[in-house]
Amino acid sequence: MADDEQRRETVSTGVGVLDRVVAILDVVEANPMGASEIARALGLSVPTAHRLVSAMVKHGLLHRDDDGRHHIGPRFASSALTAAATPVLTGLRAETGETAQLWVLRGEDRLCVASEESPHELRAAVPVGTVLPLSDKGSAALALTGAGRGWVESVSERTPGLCSVSAPVRYRGDVVAAVCLAAPVFRVSDDGPGAQYGDLVVAAAETLGRALRHR
């Protein structure tokens, strides 16, 4: 106990909430556990621990498994995900000739963290760093919010004349990102982007999911 108290004192910054969040991350990294166990391990009240843990799960800092134990959350996979995305998106663009993107969830918005643009003069182009409200729809928004386990498509919903197909990237059972392939409607078959490219997009998303599991 003395060692634990010394350790918590050493990392104290005087910003109480932040110190508690970091302490929770430290304790579950070493030993995944439920909120009540976290309270006991850190000397917090149970209501305080539950409140902090619930907020951390919502922000992706923690992941709660089916047994109620908390682990380091999907937000910490973002840098590895972005690094792994480049060759996957480049391959998807080369195979289809269309723009391939990676989107992640940020609260009520989605953020583009990687993009490989189509070589065609007329193409779907969204710069890295673009933030769009989930309410604007689009297939990436649908995939990020769990609309389906396979691919989902959008045709002229967010931007007239453009269509897309997206698939979720999963890490420890959570959706952490969406691979999106976007194209002008006129270059896609009458069956839609899902029928034409859905399997390729799902395969790309699964490749990224495996990369996260083995990082």
Side-chain angles (χ1 to χ4, degrees), residues 63-164:
H63 163 76
R64 186 178 186 275
D65 65 24
D66 292 339
D67 296 322
R69 297 177 303 173
H70 294 86
H71 307 252
I72 293 295
R75 179 65 71 95
F76 295 98
S78 293
S79 58
L81 183 62
T82 302
T86 298
V88 174
L89 297 183
T90 300
L92 188 57
R93 179 189 61 184
E95 194 162 0
T96 64
E98 303 298 351
T99 297
Q101 306 159 346
L102 184 71
W103 294 84
V104 296
L105 195 63
R106 289 293 182 264
E108 297 301 317
D109 301 317
R110 56 183 170 112
L111 167 68
C112 181
V113 294
S115 179
E116 297 295 328
E117 291 193 2
S118 166
H120 296 291
E121 185 174 358
L122 185 59
R123 60 186 181 269
V126 177
V128 171
T130 296
V131 177
L132 297 173
L134 293 174
S135 58
D136 276 3
K137 300 182 180 179
S139 65
L142 294 172
L144 285 169
T145 53
R149 295 198 66 86
W151 56 261
V152 288
E153 68 177 6
S154 171
V155 179
S156 292
E157 285 189 64
R158 194 181 69 81
T159 304
L162 293 181
C163 62
S164 65

Side-chain angles (χ1 to χ4, degrees), residues 142-211:
L142 294 172
L144 285 169
T145 53
R149 295 198 66 86
W151 56 261
V152 288
E153 68 177 6
S154 171
V155 179
S156 292
E157 285 189 64
R158 194 181 69 81
T159 304
L162 293 181
C163 62
S164 65
V165 55
S166 298
V169 178
R170 295 181 182 275
Y171 177 62
R172 291 177 173 167
D174 291 336
V175 175
V176 296
V179 174
C180 176
L181 189 75
V185 170
F186 74 86
R187 275 206 303 268
V188 173
S189 70
D190 291 341
D191 291 335
Q196 187 169 352
Y197 298 125
D199 289 346
L200 293 174
V201 174
V202 168
E206 290 176 344
T207 297
L208 285 177
R210 286 194 297 272

